[in-house]
Amino acid sequence: MDMDEDMARLQEEQQGRARAAWVPGAVIVGAGPSGLAAAACLAARGVPATVLEMSDSLASTWRHRTYDRLTLHLPKRFCELPLLPFPRGYPAYPSKDQFVSYLESYAAAAGVAPRFGCRVEEAAFDVGAGAWAVRVRLAGGSGELLLARWLVVATGENAVPRVPDLPGAPRFAGRVLHTCDYKSGEEFAGKKVLVVGCGNSGMEVSLDLCRHGATPSLVVRNTVHVLPREMLGLSTFGIAMALLKLLPVQVVDRILLAAARLALGDTGKLGLRRPKTGPIELKNLTGRTPVLDVGTLGHIKTGKIKVVGTVKEVTQRGVRFADGKEEQFDAIIQATGYRSNVPSWLKDGGDVFTREGMPKIPFPDGWKGKNGLYTVGFSQRGLLGASADALNIARDIHSQWKDMMSRPGNNIVLQCNNNAV
């Protein structure tokens, strides 16, 4: 009976492979900045790519999961994707709407047309076909099986909201939400709001709440590096990048921290203790990004934003902190970041990804795996890192594509046209 079941399963797999659609070039999963950059760089080299996106638009996270006041944290010159600069009229720190507009123009200029409403349920390397088998669920409920020689994972580090358990949260009478659902502090005017998380999002949401007449309290559980976004009119990040070309990272960190203390004062006195490891070295080791202050610190100093400690549990009307104190709140916003969704659908990426869906190999060498697997936007280096990945991927795939297309009797394109589902 077991043998019969195995034979039936094998027959089903063979029939499924026969019905599969061969895709010329690469399949790219994700139509955010990373996926668009990879597709554009491939297109510039004449390599076709099929971009699959589960939402109904490109840059879905930027459109729908970000707050209204969001701007790029770094100057635009560090956030441009390969082959196309930002429009000249854009400010130094473009808004989210300007960035989305740039991405739309970028895709149009490169001729990249993602397939929207395509949710990748599974991608695994098919040894028999010598290709990646990508099982897709379409918006209408039907399915497809695509086969491609190369698979580019571009779903990013921030695919799924990270929502840690807050003990007692179900009993809370107010609203609990993640920053992916937060748009503006306007709806919280006059209310006391607890913001859990002190990264860039938590800091900016607290500032936005304050500017809209809310009373925010910011939960700071761990140490954090806070740096001014600019020093003497120059980008702090730009200064750091320039110094790193001349000096060791530890020396650059000491310079940045000395300048930050002059500009911001002792943040430890405000409840924002600094890690022992410097900001750039810590970023390189753990991926933890320093906070670039855009005004939040000033409101903390004046008491308009209150810094509080770890939450022990949520009560019906507020929270009880680890030190035993209780305080009432009208809403709780979790600024606790995002995580990768790669483990939920990629089945043969163990040489590249950890079980958490993060890169095993540090930047700049984590973009390539085995059997034609590539990854873009997982370097924990932001848009600058994604651009570097995209250029490397396009260069590598193009060399293989050129070799394959030069072989006599090559029929990759014919396979694609004659084996549609």
Side-chain angles (χ1 to χ4, degrees):
M1 186 66 176
D2 291 342
M3 185 176 294
D4 291 341
E5 289 178 355
D6 289 341
M7 287 297 294
R9 188 180 301 111
L10 180 60
Q11 277 187 332
E12 185 177 338
E13 289 176 357
Q14 291 174 337
Q15 291 171 358
R17 185 183 300 163
R19 292 194 301 270
W22 269 94
V23 176
V27 162
I28 299 174
V29 184
S34 297
L36 296 178
C41 290
L42 285 169
R45 291 178 173 269
V47 181
T50 299
V51 182
L52 305 177
E53 170 57 45
M54 66 179 180
S55 72
D56 60 358
S57 64
L58 57 80
S60 175
T61 296
W62 280 87
R63 289 179 192 272
H64 306 302
R65 289 185 174 182
T66 54
Y67 38 92
D68 294 343
R69 79 176 306 275
L70 178 66
T71 64
L72 295 180
H73 293 138
L74 303 181
K76 60 185 178 183
R77 71 179 185 277
F78 296 112
C79 300
E80 292 175 345
L81 299 183
L83 311 176
L84 185 69
F86 281 102
R88 287 187 177 182
Y90 272 30
Y93 301 93
S95 69
K96 78 164 189 176
D97 290 338
Q98 289 173 322
F99 186 58
V100 169
S101 178
Y102 164 73
L103 293 177
E104 289 174 339
S105 300
Y106 185 84
V112 177
R115 290 186 58 187
F116 298 116
C118 294
R119 179 184 293 273
V120 174
E121 294 188 328
E122 182 179 279
F125 188 72
D126 187 321
V127 177
W132 286 90
V134 183
R135 186 159 51 84
V136 176
R137 183 66 54 189
L138 306 181
S142 60
E144 286 187 10
L145 182 62
L146 307 177
L147 291 175
R149 178 64 187 86
W150 301 288
L151 176 67
V152 181
V153 180
T155 48
E157 307 157 0
N158 301 318
V160 182
R162 188 186 300 276
V163 185
D165 179 49
L166 285 177
R171 77 178 75 139
F172 183 56
R175 185 181 175 192
V176 180
L177 67 155
H178 189 273
T179 47
C180 68
D181 296 314
Y182 176 91
K183 298 302 176 188
S184 169
E186 186 175 2
E187 62 180 304
F188 298 96
K191 296 182 178 180
K192 290 187 64 177
V193 184
L194 183 69
V195 180
V196 181
C198 62
N200 279 297
S201 292
M203 290 283 196
E204 288 196 24
V205 166
S206 296
L207 178 62
D208 190 55
L209 287 165
C210 197
R211 289 178 174 174
H212 282 92
T215 305
S217 292
L218 180 65
V219 174
V220 179
R221 296 169 293 183
N222 302 308
T223 55
V224 58
H225 277 302
V226 182
L227 304 175
R229 186 166 71 170
E230 293 186 345
M231 297 179 180
L232 301 175
L234 300 174
S235 158
T236 299
F237 182 80
I239 292 172
M241 292 300 98
L243 290 175
L244 284 171
K245 295 177 181 179
L246 306 170
L247 302 168
V249 62
Q250 291 87 354
V251 176
V252 175
D253 274 340
R254 286 199 290 271
I255 293 172
L256 291 179
L257 291 175
R261 188 178 181 94
L262 286 173
L264 305 176
D266 183 359
T267 59
K269 293 181 178 179
L270 304 174
L272 303 168
R273 295 178 297 107
R274 292 192 181 277
K276 293 182 179 179
T277 307
I280 299 178
E281 186 178 7
L282 188 66
K283 172 69 174 174
N284 292 342
L285 291 173
T286 68
R288 284 179 58 188
T289 303
V291 171
L292 297 176
D293 180 55
V294 292
T296 307
L297 215 60
H299 289 287
I300 292 176
K301 290 177 180 178
T302 61
K304 291 181 179 179
I305 297 174
K306 181 180 178 183
V307 173
V308 295
T310 303
V311 174
K312 182 179 181 180
E313 64 176 336
V314 179
T315 64
Q316 184 178 7
R317 296 181 179 277
V319 302
R320 181 176 296 109
F321 294 103
D323 61 6
K325 295 180 181 178
E326 291 189 33
E327 192 168 346
Q328 293 186 4
F329 292 99
D330 300 301
I332 299 174
I333 299 174
Q334 298 204 64
T336 45
Y338 295 81
R339 59 179 174 82
S340 167
N341 70 358
V342 170
S344 69
W345 59 270
L346 182 62
K347 302 307 175 188
D348 293 305
D351 63 314
V352 176
F353 292 102
T354 65
R355 283 188 290 183
E356 292 74 33
M358 295 302 288
K360 283 184 174 180
I361 303 170
F363 181 82
D365 301 316
W367 53 273
K368 184 178 180 180
K370 297 177 181 177
N371 299 320
L373 176 65
Y374 297 88
T375 160
V376 55
F378 288 85
S379 64
Q380 298 181 316
R381 296 296 189 281
L383 295 167
L384 203 59
S387 295
D389 290 340
L391 290 167
N392 285 329
I393 290 167
R395 190 180 303 112
D396 196 69
I397 291 179
H398 175 252
S399 67
Q400 300 171 62
W401 170 264
K402 188 168 59 173
D403 180 60
M404 291 174 67
M405 296 304 290
S406 66
R407 295 174 191 169
N410 186 283
N411 65 347
I412 293 177
V413 177
L414 291 178
Q415 281 182 312
C416 174
N417 293 334
N418 295 334
N419 287 291
V421 174

